[in-house]
Amino acid sequence: MRLRALLDTDALGLKLLGGEEELDRTVRGVMTTDLRDPSRYLSGGELVLTGLAWRRGPADSEPFVRILTQAGVAALAAGEAELGDVPDDLVVACARHRLPLFAVHESVAFATITEHVVRQVSGERAGDLAAVVERHRRMMTSGPAGGGPEVVLDLLGTDLDLRAWVISPTGRLVAGSGAAEGAPPAEACARLAAEHLAASRTGRPGPHRVALGATTYSLFPVRGSGHRPAVAGRSSQAARDVRETVLSDWLLAVEADAGDWPEERLDLLQGVTQLIAVERDRRDASRTVRRRLAQEVLELVQTGAAPAEIAARLRVAAPVLVPGLGTAPHWQVVVARVDWDGGQIAGGPAAQSLLEEILADAPTGFSSSRHPQATGAESADRTAVAHTGDEAVALVPLPAVPTGHDGSEAGILADELLQSVRDPLSAGLDGDGRVTLGVSAAVHSAEGLRGALEEARHARRVAAARPGLVAAAGHQELASHVLLLPFVPDDVRRAFTARLLDPLRAYDRRHRAELIETLEAFLDCDGSWTRCASRLHLHVNTLRYRIGRIEQLTGRDLSRLEDKLDFFLALRMS
């Protein structure tokens, strides 16, 4: 802003005492001081406000004004509350050094002037930056990427002192301003994603403000092309639109409270989100080849094509997914499904986008970092994800399959996939949707892909039988009783467990005998009297008495394998 604009604002109560020819100077900031030498705190372009407490006599004005002039300040404003009229020696000194001088009426607080200057300067800087953002948006829209969203986020930091980050709905840090060490930790990103998803489901307009400890963040939705934003009081059709995109939209998290921002700055941030949406659309377009390869492989596997034909297609896919590997990778199959209440939303595309985000965090041997700085979807871009019906199917390349502690081959584990994304996704599902995933074992060739696909689908069905909005199961669970138990009808479960366990529970309630706890420990110790007694801190004779009471109450014999197995299953189903 110009000095001249200060005189046009009556509320500031400023009177020009000298320097009329310098009123076109630019004000870049404001500072209040009563130090005799404030030079260490000045950077140039400031309007300096002073109450004149530094002045002990007429001789003090000349050195004070000289220091301000050497620091390059724009003007000096002296308050009349302390000494009444501004001293003549100060007026003379300012005229000698060509420093504009204002008098501040005693009824006007310095805070009023400071707030006005800061608001004006910030708005002008935001307008300048908005022009930069618009130029960058046009450049990215019309041609190759101009550095990605990181460039504009860095501009926010340097020009407006705003630190900002782009975060995926799973809590992955996509891009950020400044150094990686200044970014929010992974736990904070997950929390911000969860808060954003929950707010999006309510239809509240952004930005959404979230306080994490002593830090306040403002969250701006980043919506890709074709997205229709939700509004309060939305129709059922609009509600379906929200659910179709809520699990795939990115967000812009700004480390600031936008509650009292002027419209200019809010408009600027909206422009930044539009720019980031352009980059998101560009990255989605770059996945087209990988998605098509996955779709072709999936169709070959499902239609029973010959392994040689599938292998040929995989040889085409490998250089795209794993450039520079040189040898054919191992593969894992991950199946995901998004189900919404009512069944009126096509879940396949939503599951495809979501699975790409989830796999961007998965340690696949190429990248084990959950929290990269400005790497975008690097890990997901090594994964081919197709969709068929309501399912998304990912073909994940593994450069090598390490051996686990139990001697089995390891790779992507189902629990690891959901460990960090469960809370954000649960907030986005909001109680009327579910996400379930199944993970196959690693396979070495095309011959194993059909079995891997069926294995992943079976595992997903096991996950679907579990409680919770977000669930996953892996291939290692398919060789266990865990595969069978979720599919036992509820009435059969209740009848089976009641027949075996209800007599023991009733006895425990009456006598506090802890028979159920004893039974669990006995089976867990494989029927070893010594180990079980040691675990329960009992004498072996006491343990024998309790087991005898269990057998008496149930009519079973715990020395028989069949009866042990029945008790084991009853406890697992209870």
Side-chain angles (χ1 to χ4, degrees), residues 501-511:
L501 301 183
D502 280 3
L504 307 182
R505 290 172 176 148
Y507 190 88
D508 281 344
R509 284 194 297 270
R510 291 195 306 268
H511 302 285

Side-chain angles (χ1 to χ4, degrees), residues 16 43 45 56-57 70 120 260 269 273 299 303 305 339 399 440 474 483 500 542:
L16 183 65
S43 58
R56 298 188 179 92
Q70 291 172 349
Q120 294 300 314
D260 56 353
L269 268 295
T273 63
E299 290 174 1
T303 57
D339 292 294
S440 77
L483 175 63
L500 284 174
T542 304

Side-chain angles (χ1 to χ4, degrees), residues 39 54 144 146 149 160 180 228 273 344 348 360 414 499 524 540 554 556 571:
S39 57
W54 50 268
L160 293 182
R228 294 183 295 277
T273 63
Q344 298 176 335
R499 187 178 303 115
D524 195 43
V540 172
T554 61
R556 299 299 184 105
L571 289 169

Side-chain angles (χ1 to χ4, degrees), residues 398-455:
L398 304 173
V401 184
T403 301
H405 296 298
D406 59 355
S408 62
E409 289 183 334
I412 293 178
L413 301 178
D415 290 340
E416 288 183 356
L417 283 179
L418 298 184
Q419 186 174 7
S420 57
V421 305
R422 183 172 275 108
D423 289 344
L425 294 184
S426 296
L429 295 165
D430 195 30
D432 64 350
R434 292 199 73 205
V435 171
T436 51
L437 290 93
V439 182
S440 77
V443 295
H444 303 251
S445 62
E447 288 84 350
L449 274 184
R450 183 175 294 115
L453 177 60
E454 290 305 313
E455 195 172 55

